[in-house]
Amino acid sequence: MSIIALSFTLIFVMITMLASVWQKVGLEKEIAIGTIRSAIQLLLVGYVLQYVFNTENPLLLLLIISIMMLVAAYNASKRAKGVRGMVWRIFVSIALTEILMMALVLGLGIVEVSPRYIIPISGMTIGNAMVVAGLFLNRMKEEVHTSRPEMETLLSLGATAKQAVHPQLKKAVKSSMIPTIDSMKTVGIVQLPGMMTGMIIAGADPIEAVRYQILIVFAFTSSAAITAITLSLLSYKLWFTDDLRVKDY
């Protein structure tokens, strides 16, 4: 794609901004900032990846993946504002997911041990885990707020913190996984995923592209479950005070 052709894609941004002005939504500034930031970030990432692919330095690869996980953890933690210690818990959950996914994918020889494969697959896995963590925390805040009387009653009857919050954890885990599961059910019919589409546009064989996409879909499902369950186990105590009273963030 030429630079001139790429510049024409700004038409989509202009349409969005005009729609915002027309309906007086007031998102013009945010759209402009988002457009500039996304373009700069993607261009920088492109140059960085080009360098990493050429050097194949394992330490540099590890650094990039660590930064991706840290940014993902920080972004997801915004769904639980005021809850201290949430960033590192999300980071651990995402890191565990990433380690297990890479161990299986590389250990079984599904993909080549190369930054060209590891970074894109890691990015998609970490991104999905970030979304799941954000959804989990958002639902947990709602559940704890609405179920506070019930939880306090259980605590007064001698229940532990884990027992009191268990129903809310189950609902939050289930809620965070629903988008991933729904995506599995409709993939290839309602939507053609980005990885498969990108490979086909780049000239890859459609069957080969589908195989890689199946890998990603299955990995997403597993990563969603691992992230949500791990985060629930690491964070449930944060919803209580030291003397076992329910916090209302």
Side-chain angles (χ1 to χ4, degrees):
M1 183 185 292
S2 67
I3 297 297
I4 295 175
L6 184 61
S7 65
F8 286 144
T9 59
L10 288 172
I11 294 173
F12 298 116
V13 178
M14 292 174 62
I15 292 172
T16 308
M17 293 181 72
L18 288 172
S20 178
V21 172
W22 176 42
Q23 292 295 319
K24 298 181 181 179
V25 178
L27 289 175
E28 304 87 71
K29 182 180 178 180
E30 294 296 324
I31 294 169
I33 293 173
T35 301
I36 295 170
R37 282 188 58 177
S38 62
I40 293 173
Q41 288 168 188
L42 288 172
L43 285 171
L44 288 175
V45 166
Y47 286 114
V48 170
L49 291 180
Q50 187 178 52
Y51 176 76
V52 174
F53 292 166
N54 291 333
T55 59
E56 296 196 356
N57 187 323
L59 292 178
L60 190 56
L61 174 63
L62 183 61
L63 175 63
I64 289 174
I65 293 176
S66 297
I67 291 172
M68 291 165 65
M69 291 190 294
L70 185 60
V71 172
Y74 176 76
N75 189 65
S77 69
K78 292 179 181 178
R79 297 290 183 179
K81 274 190 174 182
V83 185
R84 293 184 178 181
M86 190 59 77
V87 175
W88 75 261
R89 287 173 169 81
I90 300 173
F91 182 86
V92 170
S93 302
I94 294 176
L96 178 62
T97 300
E98 168 68 6
I99 291 169
L100 290 175
M101 289 301 102
M102 286 298 106
L104 286 172
V105 169
L106 299 179
L108 296 175
I110 298 174
V111 298
E112 184 181 335
V113 183
S114 168
R116 188 172 296 274
Y117 295 95
I118 294 174
I119 291 177
I121 293 175
S122 294
M124 287 184 280
T125 302
I126 293 168
N128 184 67
M130 176 189 69
V131 172
V132 170
L135 291 171
F136 170 83
L137 293 174
N138 194 55
R139 183 61 185 267
M140 269 303 293
K141 285 189 73 173
E142 294 178 1
E143 288 294 329
V144 171
H145 179 72
T146 57
S147 303
R148 185 174 181 176
E150 176 188 336
M151 293 167 63
E152 290 181 338
T153 300
L154 289 172
L155 290 171
S156 67
L157 294 173
T160 63
K162 190 173 184 179
Q163 290 172 332
V165 79
H166 185 66
Q168 288 70 39
L169 290 175
K170 283 176 60 178
K171 291 176 183 177
V173 168
K174 183 178 179 180
S175 178
S176 66
M177 291 184 61
I178 286 175
T180 304
I181 296 171
D182 285 347
S183 180
M184 279 187 72
K185 295 176 181 178
T186 59
V187 66
I189 299 175
V190 176
Q191 59 173 327
L192 295 178
M195 184 178 186
M196 185 179 81
T197 304
M199 289 181 67
I200 292 173
I201 291 174
D205 180 73
I207 301 301
E208 186 71 12
V210 166
R211 288 173 182 170
Y212 275 101
Q213 191 59 58
I214 290 173
L215 162 65
I216 296 303
V217 169
F218 290 172
F220 274 12
T221 308
S222 181
S223 70
I226 294 169
T227 302
I229 293 172
T230 303
L231 185 55
S232 70
L233 294 174
L234 291 176
S235 65
Y236 75 89
K237 288 184 179 180
L238 298 178
W239 307 101
F240 301 90
T241 61
D242 292 337
D243 57 352
L244 287 185
R245 286 184 297 168
V246 180
K247 292 182 180 180
D248 193 3
Y249 292 103

